Coordinates of all heavy atoms in Angstrom, one line a residue:
Y1 N -143.8 -235.3 237.8 CA -144.8 -234.5 237.0 C -144.3 -233.1 236.8 O -144.2 -232.5 235.7 CB -146.2 -234.6 237.6 CG -147.2 -233.8 236.9 CD1 -147.8 -234.3 235.7 CD2 -147.6 -232.5 237.3 CE1 -148.8 -233.6 235.1 CE2 -148.5 -231.8 236.6 CZ -149.1 -232.4 235.5 OH -150.1 -231.7 234.8
D2 N -144.0 -232.5 238.0 CA -143.5 -231.1 237.9 C -142.2 -230.9 237.1 O -142.0 -229.9 236.5 CB -143.4 -230.5 239.3 CG -144.7 -230.2 240.0 OD1 -145.7 -230.1 239.3 OD2 -144.8 -230.2 241.2
T3 N -141.4 -231.9 237.2 CA -140.1 -231.8 236.4 C -140.4 -231.7 234.9 O -139.9 -230.8 234.2 CB -139.3 -233.1 236.7 OG1 -138.9 -233.1 238.0 CG2 -138.0 -233.0 235.8
F4 N -141.3 -232.5 234.4 CA -141.6 -232.5 233.0 C -142.5 -231.4 232.6 O -142.7 -231.1 231.4 CB -142.1 -233.9 232.5 CG -141.1 -235.0 232.6 CD1 -141.3 -236.1 233.4 CD2 -139.9 -234.9 231.8 CE1 -140.3 -237.1 233.4 CE2 -139.0 -235.9 231.8 CZ -139.2 -237.0 232.6
M5 N -143.2 -230.8 233.6 CA -144.1 -229.7 233.3 C -143.5 -228.3 233.6 O -144.2 -227.3 233.8 CB -145.4 -229.9 234.1 CG -146.2 -231.1 233.7 SD -147.0 -231.0 232.1 CE -148.3 -229.9 232.5
D6 N -142.2 -228.3 233.7 CA -141.5 -227.0 234.1 C -141.6 -225.9 233.2 O -141.4 -224.7 233.5 CB -140.1 -227.3 234.5 CG -139.3 -227.9 233.3 OD1 -139.8 -228.1 232.3 OD2 -138.0 -228.0 233.5
E7 N -142.0 -226.1 231.9 CA -142.2 -225.1 230.9 C -143.7 -224.7 230.7 O -144.0 -223.9 229.9 CB -141.6 -225.4 229.6 CG -140.0 -225.6 229.7 CD -139.4 -225.9 228.4 OE1 -140.1 -225.9 227.3 OE2 -138.2 -226.1 228.3
T8 N -144.5 -225.3 231.5 CA -146.0 -225.0 231.4 C -146.3 -223.6 231.9 O -145.8 -223.2 233.0 CB -146.8 -226.0 232.3 OG1 -146.4 -227.3 231.9 CG2 -148.3 -225.8 232.1
P9 N -147.0 -222.8 231.1 CA -147.2 -221.4 231.5 C -148.3 -221.2 232.6 O -149.3 -220.5 232.3 CB -147.7 -220.8 230.1 CG -148.4 -221.9 229.4 CD -147.6 -223.1 229.8
Y10 N -148.0 -221.7 233.7 CA -149.0 -221.6 234.8 C -149.3 -220.1 235.2 O -150.5 -219.8 235.4 CB -148.5 -222.3 236.1 CG -148.5 -223.8 236.0 CD1 -147.3 -224.5 235.9 CD2 -149.7 -224.5 235.9 CE1 -147.3 -225.9 235.9 CE2 -149.7 -225.9 235.8 CZ -148.5 -226.6 235.8 OH -148.5 -228.0 235.7
E11 N -148.3 -219.3 235.2 CA -148.6 -217.9 235.5 C -149.5 -217.2 234.5 O -150.4 -216.4 234.9 CB -147.2 -217.1 235.6 CG -146.3 -217.5 236.7 CD -145.5 -218.7 236.5 OE1 -145.6 -219.3 235.4 OE2 -144.8 -219.1 237.4
D12 N -149.3 -217.5 233.2 CA -150.2 -217.0 232.2 C -151.6 -217.5 232.4 O -152.6 -216.7 232.2 CB -149.7 -217.4 230.8 CG -148.4 -216.7 230.4 OD1 -148.1 -215.7 231.1 OD2 -147.7 -217.1 229.4
W13 N -151.8 -218.8 232.7 CA -153.1 -219.3 232.9 C -153.7 -218.6 234.1 O -154.9 -218.3 234.1 CB -153.0 -220.8 233.2 CG -152.6 -221.6 232.0 CD1 -152.4 -221.2 230.7 CD2 -152.2 -223.0 232.0 NE1 -152.0 -222.3 229.9 CE2 -151.9 -223.4 230.7 CE3 -152.2 -224.0 233.0 CZ2 -151.5 -224.7 230.4 CZ3 -151.9 -225.3 232.7 CH2 -151.5 -225.7 231.4
C14 N -153.0 -218.4 235.1 CA -153.5 -217.7 236.3 C -154.0 -216.3 236.0 O -155.1 -215.9 236.4 CB -152.4 -217.7 237.4 SG -152.9 -216.8 238.9
D15 N -153.2 -215.6 235.2 CA -153.6 -214.2 234.8 C -154.8 -214.3 233.9 O -155.7 -213.4 234.0 CB -152.5 -213.5 234.1 CG -151.3 -213.2 235.1 OD1 -151.5 -213.2 236.3 OD2 -150.2 -213.0 234.6
L16 N -154.9 -215.2 233.1 CA -156.0 -215.4 232.2 C -157.3 -215.6 232.9 O -158.4 -215.0 232.7 CB -155.8 -216.5 231.2 CG -157.0 -216.9 230.3 CD1 -157.4 -215.7 229.4 CD2 -156.7 -218.1 229.4
I17 N -157.2 -216.5 233.9 CA -158.4 -216.9 234.7 C -158.9 -215.7 235.5 O -160.1 -215.4 235.6 CB -158.1 -218.1 235.6 CG1 -158.0 -219.4 234.8 CG2 -159.2 -218.2 236.7 CD1 -157.4 -220.5 235.5
A18 N -157.9 -214.9 236.1 CA -158.3 -213.8 236.9 C -158.9 -212.7 236.0 O -159.9 -212.1 236.4 CB -157.0 -213.2 237.5
M19 N -158.5 -212.6 234.7 CA -159.0 -211.6 233.8 C -160.5 -212.0 233.4 O -161.4 -211.2 233.4 CB -158.2 -211.5 232.6 CG -158.7 -210.5 231.5 SD -157.9 -210.7 229.9 CE -158.6 -212.3 229.3
L20 N -160.7 -213.3 233.2 CA -162.0 -213.8 232.8 C -163.0 -213.7 233.9 O -164.1 -213.3 233.7 CB -161.9 -215.3 232.3 CG -161.1 -215.5 231.0 CD1 -160.9 -217.0 230.8 CD2 -161.9 -214.9 229.8
L21 N -162.5 -213.9 235.1 CA -163.4 -213.7 236.3 C -163.8 -212.2 236.4 O -165.0 -211.9 236.7 CB -162.7 -214.2 237.6 CG -162.5 -215.7 237.7 CD1 -161.6 -216.0 238.9 CD2 -163.8 -216.4 237.8
K22 N -162.9 -211.3 236.3 CA -163.2 -209.9 236.4 C -164.1 -209.5 235.2 O -165.0 -208.6 235.4 CB -161.9 -209.1 236.3 CG -162.1 -207.6 236.5 CD -160.8 -206.9 236.7 CE -160.0 -207.3 237.9 NZ -158.8 -206.5 238.1
Q23 N -163.9 -210.0 234.1 CA -164.7 -209.7 232.9 C -166.1 -210.2 232.9 O -167.1 -209.5 232.6 CB -164.0 -210.1 231.6 CG -164.7 -209.8 230.3 CD -164.0 -210.3 229.1 OE1 -162.9 -210.8 229.2 NE2 -164.6 -210.2 227.9
H24 N -166.3 -211.5 233.3 CA -167.6 -212.1 233.2 C -168.3 -212.3 234.6 O -169.5 -212.7 234.6 CB -167.4 -213.5 232.5 CG -166.9 -213.4 231.1 ND1 -167.7 -212.9 230.1 CD2 -165.7 -213.7 230.6 CE1 -167.0 -212.9 229.0 NE2 -165.8 -213.4 229.2
F25 N -167.6 -212.1 235.7 CA -168.2 -212.2 237.0 C -167.7 -211.1 237.9 O -167.0 -211.3 238.9 CB -167.9 -213.6 237.6 CG -168.7 -213.9 238.9 CD1 -170.0 -213.4 239.1 CD2 -168.2 -214.8 239.8 CE1 -170.7 -213.7 240.2 CE2 -168.9 -215.1 241.0 CZ -170.2 -214.5 241.2
P26 N -168.0 -209.8 237.5 CA -167.4 -208.7 238.2 C -167.8 -208.6 239.6 O -167.2 -207.9 240.4 CB -167.9 -207.5 237.4 CG -169.2 -208.0 236.7 CD -168.9 -209.4 236.4
G27 N -168.9 -209.2 240.0 CA -169.4 -209.2 241.4 C -168.7 -210.1 242.3 O -169.0 -210.1 243.5
M28 N -167.7 -210.8 241.8 CA -167.0 -211.8 242.7 C -166.3 -211.1 243.8 O -166.1 -211.7 244.9 CB -166.0 -212.6 241.8 CG -165.4 -213.8 242.5 SD -164.5 -214.9 241.4 CE -164.2 -216.3 242.5
D29 N -165.8 -209.9 243.6 CA -165.1 -209.2 244.7 C -166.0 -208.4 245.6 O -165.5 -207.8 246.5 CB -164.0 -208.3 244.0 CG -162.9 -209.1 243.3 OD1 -162.7 -210.3 243.7 OD2 -162.4 -208.6 242.3
E30 N -167.2 -208.3 245.2 CA -168.2 -207.6 246.1 C -168.3 -208.4 247.4 O -168.3 -209.6 247.4 CB -169.5 -207.4 245.4 CG -169.4 -206.5 244.2 CD -170.7 -206.3 243.5 OE1 -171.7 -206.9 244.0 OE2 -170.8 -205.7 242.4
I31 N -168.6 -207.7 248.5 CA -168.7 -208.3 249.8 C -170.1 -208.4 250.3 O -170.7 -207.4 250.7 CB -167.8 -207.5 250.8 CG1 -166.4 -207.4 250.3 CG2 -167.8 -208.2 252.2 CD1 -165.5 -206.6 251.2
P32 N -170.7 -209.6 250.2 CA -172.1 -209.7 250.8 C -172.0 -209.5 252.3 O -171.0 -209.7 253.0 CB -172.4 -211.2 250.5 CG -171.5 -211.6 249.4 CD -170.3 -210.8 249.6
E33 N -173.1 -209.1 252.9 CA -173.1 -208.9 254.4 C -172.9 -210.2 255.1 O -172.2 -210.2 256.2 CB -174.5 -208.3 254.8 CG -174.7 -206.9 254.3 CD -176.0 -206.3 254.7 OE1 -176.7 -207.0 255.6 OE2 -176.4 -205.2 254.3
D34 N -173.4 -211.3 254.6 CA -173.2 -212.6 255.3 C -171.8 -213.1 255.0 O -171.3 -213.2 253.9 CB -174.2 -213.6 254.7 CG -174.2 -214.9 255.4 OD1 -173.3 -215.7 255.2 OD2 -175.2 -215.2 256.1
E35 N -171.1 -213.4 256.1 CA -169.7 -213.8 256.0 C -169.6 -215.1 255.2 O -168.6 -215.3 254.5 CB -169.1 -214.0 257.4 CG -167.7 -214.6 257.5 CD -166.7 -213.8 256.9 OE1 -166.9 -212.5 256.7 OE2 -165.6 -214.3 256.5
N36 N -170.5 -216.1 255.5 CA -170.4 -217.3 254.7 C -170.6 -217.1 253.2 O -169.9 -217.8 252.4 CB -171.5 -218.3 255.3 CG -171.2 -218.8 256.7 OD1 -170.0 -218.9 257.1 ND2 -172.2 -219.1 257.4
L37 N -171.5 -216.3 252.8 CA -171.7 -216.0 251.4 C -170.5 -215.3 250.8 O -170.1 -215.6 249.7 CB -172.9 -215.1 251.2 CG -174.3 -215.8 251.5 CD1 -175.4 -214.8 251.2 CD2 -174.5 -217.0 250.6
R38 N -169.8 -214.4 251.6 CA -168.6 -213.8 251.1 C -167.5 -214.8 250.8 O -166.8 -214.7 249.8 CB -168.1 -212.8 252.2 CG -166.9 -212.0 251.7 CD -166.5 -210.9 252.7 NE -166.2 -211.4 254.0 CZ -165.9 -210.7 255.1 NH1 -165.9 -209.4 255.0 NH2 -165.6 -211.2 256.2
Q39 N -167.4 -215.8 251.8 CA -166.4 -216.8 251.6 C -166.7 -217.6 250.3 O -165.8 -218.0 249.5 CB -166.3 -217.7 252.8 CG -165.7 -217.1 254.0 CD -164.2 -216.8 253.8 OE1 -163.5 -217.5 253.2 NE2 -163.8 -215.6 254.4

C-alpha cells in the first residue's frame, strides 16, 4: 500500500488539518485544569 501511495500528499493533509483545527476549534490547545480533560 505505501509503495503505491508514495506520491500521496500526506504532509499537505497534515498541515491542512492542523490549520482547520486552529481555525474552527481554537480552544483545542487550551489546558483544562483536569488532566483527563486536557488529554
